[in-house]
């Protein structure tokens, strides 16, 4: 997008951007604008990361939330689901644009804003990952237990799905991961569209639902904002830039392709969400049937589908339910592990640069007895992090695999013991804080001289990201307010 802020290019006098500049402060961006290759044409044959982010971002919880919205309000909030997709398009596009225009990863950008971003990220991925691991495994195990009720208990199905996800991500690189995700998205797509057609939606009411009208109910504004913010909105929005790099897209020549890919991601997400809203409106709202929140609501829906349309339709739905849950599991296992590996690599480079600076200071101290050693550089050149992700080195690194193990084995304790009360509160708070953190830091990064001038935010990007940030701040405050803090202390 065009720059409207008029920031100047801050390259050095030699015309080459210093790769290490801006890693601890504003500084110039890594990539020179004139070094960018000729733009490639956007083409459907290149898309891939968008499919991955759509599959990972839409979990069973998102489908249940949409079902409940359809159950409670019919088609009234269809417009909110559409806006939710547009908001996420702007967020994912901004993350991808940062990676491609600067050659730096998103965590590298966060680190340039100050140490507080690292502390927040570490707290988030440690606590969130521990609780999410149990939730993802349980969600993937539920449809399998429903399909094969006499085989074993839910917790063992959950453990099995976690172990399968661990082995799959551990031994496969991005290319295979993307192909499997594409197949599972195909299953999700066929199932949700089939159900939407099967329930025979009222298209007149559906089109009327595109008009921005609030339901005449208590807390309707917050419920509407929650639906907008919950459409595929997780840490996977931040992981999108990493998957873009893992695909091999590392420079601005891929910008048009990335934008097409991102649109495909959230059009696909929109189809999933709208299809499930149709199901909620036609099956649940029309018959005044309520379902439970959380993943068990989908099991209830399976029972209702069996009564209405037969066993085959119910089992077909459970297969789609499994595809939805398992794509979220392996997507987080891969994407967030990539982010954690990048964090550790960044931390190690900071340590190495600090050691080099100390060596340099010591070597320049006058010594009358021994000659001074050759001085070390103030900071070693840092290669473009996007290239490192593209090389596949992170996927075989020990931090990547260590976080994989953290997502898989410690959460299994929660499957047997239940979830600790205080930990769940912290999980909710950190999860609610992540999306405002993402939106507002992207506004910061993409309006500064960390980003080449021609790829900084224009008016539309700034408007969308600011709206997203404010939306998520409101939802974050509500989430924090609703926590039972009196019991916490």
């Amino acid at each position: 997008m065009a720059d409207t802020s008029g920031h100047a290019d801050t390259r050095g006098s030699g015309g080459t951007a210093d790769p290490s500049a801006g890693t601890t402060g504003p500084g110039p961006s890594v990539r020179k604008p004139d070094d960018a290759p000729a733009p490639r044409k956007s083409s459907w044959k290149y898309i891939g990361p968008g499919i991955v982010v759509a599959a990972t971002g839409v979990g069973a919880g998102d489908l249940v939330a949409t079902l409940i919205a359809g159950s409670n309000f019919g088609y009234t909030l269809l417009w909110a689901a559409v806006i939710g997709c547009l908001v996420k398009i702007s967020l994912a596009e901004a993350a991808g644009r940062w990676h491609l225009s600067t050659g730096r990863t998103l965590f590298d950008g966060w680190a340039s804003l100050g140490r507080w971003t690292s502390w927040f990220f570490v707290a988030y991925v440690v606590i969130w990952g521990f609780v999410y691991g149990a939730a993802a495994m349980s969600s993937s195990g539920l449809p399998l237990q429903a399909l094969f009720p006499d085989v074993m208990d839910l917790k063992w199905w959950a453990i099995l799905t976690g172990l399968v996800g661990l082995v799959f991500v551990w031994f496969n690189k991005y290319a295979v991961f993307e192909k499997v995700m594409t197949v599972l998205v195909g299953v999700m797509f066929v199932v949700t569209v089939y159900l939407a057609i099967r329930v025979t939606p009222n298209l007149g009411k559906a089109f009327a639902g595109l008009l921005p009208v609030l339901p005449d109910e208590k807390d309707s504004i917050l419920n509407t904002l929650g639906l907008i913010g919950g459409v595929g909105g997780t840490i996977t929005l931040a992981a999108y830039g990493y998957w873009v790099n893992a695909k091999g897209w590392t420079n601005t020549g891929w910008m048009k392709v990335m934008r097409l890919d991102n649109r495909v991601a959230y059009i696909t997400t929109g189809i999933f969400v709208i299809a499930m809203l149709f199901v909620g409106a036609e099956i649940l709202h029309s018959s005044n049937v309520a379902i439970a929140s959380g993943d068990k609501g989908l099991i209830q829906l399976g029972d209702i589908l069996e009564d209405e349309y037969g066993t085959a339709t119910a089992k077909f739905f459970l297969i789609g339910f499994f595809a939805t849950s398992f794509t979220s599991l392996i997507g987080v296992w891969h994407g967030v592990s990539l982010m954690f590996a990048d964090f550790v690599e960044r931390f190690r480079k900071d340590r190495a640069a600090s050691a080099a600076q100390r060596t340099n200071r010591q070597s320049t101290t006058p010594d009358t007895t021994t000659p001074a050693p050759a001085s070390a550089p103030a900071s070693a050149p840092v290669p473009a992090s996007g290239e490192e992700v593209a090389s596949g080195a992170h996927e075989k690194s020990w931090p990547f695999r260590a976080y994989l193990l953290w997502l898989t084995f410690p959460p299994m304790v929660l499957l047997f013991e239940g979830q600790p009360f205080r930990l769940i509160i912290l999980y909710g708070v950190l999860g609610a804080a992540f999306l405002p953190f993402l939106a507002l830091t992207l506004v910061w990064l993409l309006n500064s001289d960390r980003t080449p001038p021609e790829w900084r935010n224009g008016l539309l990007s700034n408007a969308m990201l600011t709206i997203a940030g404010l939306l998520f701040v409101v939802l974050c405050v509500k989430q924090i307010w609703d926590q039972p803090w009196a019991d916490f202390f």
Side-chain angles (χ1 to χ4, degrees):
M1 296 190 183
D3 173 35
T4 58
S5 58
H7 288 288
D9 185 2
T10 55
R11 287 173 287 148
S13 58
T16 301
D18 174 10
S20 63
T23 58
T24 57
S29 56
V30 168
R31 192 182 306 289
K32 275 200 312 181
D34 16 314
D35 282 347
R40 292 174 172 84
K41 293 181 180 178
S42 57
S43 171
W44 291 88
K45 69 180 181 180
Y46 293 124
I47 64 171
I51 297 296
V52 172
V53 77
T56 308
V58 179
D62 297 289
L63 296 187
V64 172
T66 310
L67 274 171
I68 291 175
S71 172
N72 292 339
F73 308 116
Y75 295 100
T76 305
L77 291 181
L78 182 60
W79 64 273
V82 173
I83 289 179
C85 290
L86 295 176
V87 167
K88 304 312 185 314
I89 284 175
S90 66
L91 279 167
E93 187 275 340
R97 176 155 46 93
W98 166 265
H99 277 249
L100 295 183
S101 66
T102 67
R104 297 163 63 183
T105 62
L106 186 54
F107 184 81
D108 199 41
W110 285 338
S112 73
L113 301 178
R115 290 182 180 272
W116 66 274
T117 58
S118 298
W119 288 111
F120 175 79
F121 179 77
V122 170
Y124 178 81
V125 295
V126 170
I127 296 174
W128 178 89
F130 181 56
V131 180
Y132 180 83
M137 288 187 277
S138 180
S139 178
S140 298
L142 269 172
L144 293 176
Q145 186 192 35
L147 284 166
F148 309 102
D150 300 322
V151 176
M152 53 185 171
D153 290 339
L154 171 61
K155 59 180 173 289
W156 297 112
W157 279 116
I159 289 171
L160 178 63
T161 60
L163 292 175
V164 170
L166 169 70
V167 171
F168 171 72
V169 175
W170 188 290
F171 290 105
N172 289 294
K173 287 197 172 183
Y174 175 80
V176 176
F177 166 72
E178 182 190 286
K179 287 181 174 64
V180 170
M181 292 289 272
T182 301
V183 171
L184 292 173
V185 166
V187 173
M188 293 168 60
F189 187 88
V190 170
V191 170
T192 53
V193 172
Y194 167 76
L195 287 177
I197 295 172
R198 191 79 171 82
V199 301
T200 318
N202 186 321
L203 295 181
K205 290 183 178 179
F207 280 114
L210 294 173
L211 295 174
V213 175
L214 289 174
D216 187 19
E217 307 223 358
K218 182 182 178 183
D219 294 332
S220 61
I221 293 178
L222 288 175
N223 289 332
T224 303
L225 292 178
L227 180 61
I228 294 172
V231 179
T234 66
I235 192 174
T236 53
L237 287 164
Y240 178 65
Y242 288 83
W243 285 323
V244 163
N245 287 158
K247 179 75 170 176
W249 306 349
T250 59
N251 54 53
T252 55
W254 291 100
M255 196 69 77
K256 291 181 179 179
V257 177
M258 181 277 292
R259 284 171 167 162
L260 173 65
D261 179 76
N262 179 44
R263 293 185 192 108
V264 168
Y266 283 95
I267 289 172
T268 304
T269 298
I271 291 171
F272 292 152
V273 170
I274 290 170
M276 294 310 289
L277 192 138
F278 282 5
V279 173
E282 291 298 332
I283 291 185
L284 305 179
H285 182 71
S286 59
S287 56
N288 200 27
V289 174
I291 62 171
S293 59
D295 301 338
K296 291 185 178 178
L298 292 183
I299 297 296
Q300 286 181 264
L301 178 62
D303 295 336
I304 295 169
L305 289 171
E306 184 170 8
D307 293 339
E308 292 282 336
Y309 303 108
T311 302
T313 297
K315 290 194 178 299
F316 189 49
F317 166 72
L318 288 173
I319 292 170
F321 177 8
F322 171 74
T324 301
S325 298
F326 194 64
T327 51
S328 293
L329 187 152
I330 60 175
V332 166
W333 264 229
H334 187 275
V336 184
S337 296
L338 266 183
M339 295 181 70
F340 184 77
D342 184 48
F343 159 72
V344 174
E345 183 63 24
R346 166 75 199 183
F347 179 75
R348 291 168 66 184
K349 286 178 180 177
D350 280 349
R351 293 281 298 271
S354 297
Q357 288 173 343
R358 285 195 300 271
T359 302
N360 185 47
R361 285 195 297 269
Q362 292 168 2
S363 66
T364 55
T365 301
D367 189 338
T368 58
T369 58
T370 56
S375 62
S379 60
V382 179
S385 298
E387 298 284 354
E388 294 177 33
V389 177
S391 73
H394 284 348
E395 293 170 279
K396 299 302 179 185
S397 67
W398 71 262
F400 181 92
R401 289 176 167 174
Y403 194 72
L404 267 180
L405 296 173
W406 174 254
L407 282 169
T408 307
F409 289 107
M412 289 180 183
V413 175
L414 303 184
L415 297 174
F416 290 91
E417 300 295 332
Q419 298 181 344
F421 177 72
R422 288 182 175 85
L423 191 63
I424 295 303
I425 291 180
L426 293 176
Y427 167 80
V429 170
L430 287 169
F434 184 80
L435 284 176
F437 167 79
L438 174 63
L440 298 175
T441 54
L442 282 171
V443 171
W444 190 347
L445 290 170
L446 292 168
N447 284 288
S448 71
D449 59 4
R450 297 170 178 86
T451 305
E454 67 268 42
W455 298 112
R456 292 177 197 161
N457 278 354
L459 289 175
L460 179 60
S461 291
N462 276 325
M464 291 298 291
L465 290 176
T466 301
I467 290 169
L470 294 175
L471 163 68
F472 294 131
V473 166
V474 171
L475 294 175
C476 177
V477 170
K478 180 181 184 298
Q479 178 80 359
I480 293 172
W481 183 265
D482 289 345
Q483 299 296 331
W485 292 106
D487 297 332
F488 182 88
F489 298 104

